[in-house]
Amino acid sequence: MDQGTSSDLILALETSCDETAVAVIRGQADLLASEVASQVEIHGRYGGVVPEVASRQHLTQLKPLLLLALEKAGVKMDELSAFAATAGPGLATSLMLGLSTAKGLAIGLDRPFLAVNHLEGHLLSPFFQKPGGVQPAIGLIVSGGHTILVDVAGVGEYHVLGQTRDDAAGEAFDKVAKLMGLPYPGGPEIDRLAATGDPRRFNLPRSMLHSDDFQFSFSGLKTAVRYLLPEVPPEAMADLAASFQEAVVDVLVAKTIRAARRRGRQTVCLSGGVSCNRRLRARFQEACDKSGLQLLLADPKLCTDNAAMIAYVAALRFAAGAISLLTTDINPNLSLR
Ligand code: KG4
Ligand code: ZN
């Protein structure tokens, strides 16, 4: 098996949803380029991601973005040691483009290929460029498609403690924002609006807050906002945004801290698009300080979909001598094991 070295150059592609992304990493911590071509504006016209539109965009954006990333990294294609891409979970036709491109490059240049789990990319992103690298922790992935609480024992050693039964946290942000007439994606809009609102103005449900498990549910909260909306005056929209956000954050913080205690972990790490949320970051910092836990947060650029997190996982795996077969297929429902 190929044994990676600290000077290995890996090119990684991420095309699981609506961001086309390319990154180049040297070793495990030297990020030479991380380019993201967002499709937000295009999908915004439809109020959400349209899979067919997403894959067509990847098709046209991938090559120029790849060349731009190489130029920014100051690296020539034949200097690369390996090629990586997200294999899942995500939209089938979008995943296919990134994975096939990485495989094609690996075949053409006779280099190893690595298929990466998008969720592992998110999960490990808070450890990137941190002293000591990946360490035992409770990881919370909160994105547009997932809300998962994971006990991390080390790289590749994951125990899923719980996940959402219905909407993901980011999905709840996006759906509530849509109900409130805010643009897509709604998460950052609610974050902004909530900053001037009163989180105690409206009493909204905290589903499963006290259940003795690590499951989540956000669809009831969304429905509660829908029923409340007709009675909310226009000047109270910031209060509604803040009250909704507080309900989501309360549940995420309580269950994550409980998981850390129950599993005897000293570190909590947050990842995924929703972990950009300023209130979430502040409340987690407060709760971790109070409980004597270390909090690891990724740079906001690494929280939303990007290829740097895919490159990081690929680099960790490559250094450990693990590469993927060229027969590895996409898996839209890939989970963390
Ligand atoms: O990780 P990500 O880019 O894509 C997925 O893998 O799903 O996450 C996107 C999600 C969207 O639902 C978006 O509204 C949410 O992250 N998001 C936020 C914030 N920034 C992005 N949610 C709340 N507050 C934010 N600041
Ligand atoms: Zn993601």
Side-chain angles (χ1 to χ4, degrees):
M1 247 189 225
D2 297 64
Q3 191 69 46
T5 68
S6 62
S7 59
D8 282 321
L9 285 166
I10 297 178
L11 180 117
L13 310 178
E14 154 62 41
T15 63
S16 66
C17 192
D18 60 340
E19 321 278 6
T20 314
V22 182
V24 180
I25 196 170
R26 188 197 305 276
Q28 294 165 19
D30 192 6
L31 188 62
L32 301 182
S34 178
E35 296 302 308
V36 181
S38 176
Q39 304 176 9
V40 155
E41 236 172 72
I42 300 158
H43 297 288
R45 286 180 225 147
Y46 305 97
V49 178
V50 184
E52 169 85 12
V53 174
S55 50
R56 281 167 185 249
Q57 284 298 312
H58 291 310
L59 190 62
T60 54
Q61 289 179 340
L62 205 45
K63 187 182 171 192
L65 202 68
L66 199 149
L67 296 177
L68 180 68
L70 286 176
E71 190 190 322
K72 288 208 172 167
V75 167
K76 295 201 177 58
M77 194 76 95
D78 62 2
E79 291 176 303
L80 292 162
S81 320
F83 294 90
T86 304
L91 303 170
T93 50
S94 289
L95 290 165
M96 240 178 254
L97 280 156
L99 203 77
S100 306
T101 304
K103 281 186 193 177
L105 291 167
I107 293 168
L109 288 143
D110 194 22
R111 300 284 197 279
F113 155 74
L114 293 107
V116 175
N117 184 327
H118 182 83
L119 293 173
E120 189 177 13
H122 277 306
L123 181 66
L124 300 189
S125 59
F127 298 106
F128 181 59
Q129 294 177 333
K130 301 273 164 56
V134 179
Q135 52 187 285
I138 292 297
L140 175 69
I141 308 172
V142 269
S143 69
H146 299 90
T147 299
I148 311 179
L149 202 50
V150 190
D151 186 8
V152 179
V155 179
E157 296 174 77
Y158 313 126
H159 178 77
V160 174
L161 300 171
Q163 40 197 315
T164 183
R165 291 183 166 179
D166 38 60
D167 292 348
E171 196 178 349
F173 268 93
D174 294 341
K175 286 179 176 172
V176 164
K178 199 169 179 177
L179 289 172
M180 293 172 70
L182 299 169
Y184 172 86
E189 299 291 330
I190 290 193
D191 187 339
R192 243 188 312 275
L193 189 59
T196 58
D198 174 6
R200 286 172 303 276
R201 170 85 180 261
F202 300 105
N203 188 17
L204 292 166
R206 271 92 172 136
S207 303
M208 307 188 75
L209 177 62
H210 301 295
S211 65
D212 192 32
D213 57 23
F214 297 112
Q215 305 295 110
F216 300 92
S217 167
F218 295 108
S219 73
L221 173 58
K222 171 196 65 193
T223 307
V225 172
R226 175 179 290 133
Y227 285 127
L228 187 64
L229 251 177
E231 297 157 29
V232 178
E235 66 275 12
M237 282 304 186
D239 295 339
L240 181 62
S243 302
F244 159 77
Q245 182 176 266
E246 204 69 5
V248 175
V249 170
D250 272 352
V251 179
L252 293 175
V253 169
K255 292 212 150 175
T256 307
I257 301 290
R258 208 182 300 155
R261 271 203 212 106
R262 185 121 6 130
R263 307 285 295 192
R265 298 297 186 207
Q266 303 304 314
T267 301
V268 163
C269 58
L270 306 184
S271 58
V274 181
S275 70
C276 288
N277 185 273
R278 291 171 294 171
R279 183 72 178 155
L280 182 86
R281 291 168 92 95
R283 287 278 315 278
F284 260 100
Q285 193 62 65
E286 220 174 81
C288 285
D289 288 348
K290 221 169 115 191
S291 305
L293 297 166
Q294 181 193 23
L295 178 66
L296 293 181
L297 296 165
D299 183 290
K301 276 200 211 101
L302 289 189
C303 292
T304 48
D305 287 349
N306 65 86
M309 67 184 193
I310 305 303
Y312 179 47
V313 172
L316 292 169
R317 300 269 181 194
F318 194 52
I323 60 169
S324 307
L325 295 173
L326 282 165
T327 49
T328 308
D329 201 358
I330 59 151
N331 181 355
N333 301 313
L334 192 63
S335 58
L336 273 176
R337 276 173 306 263

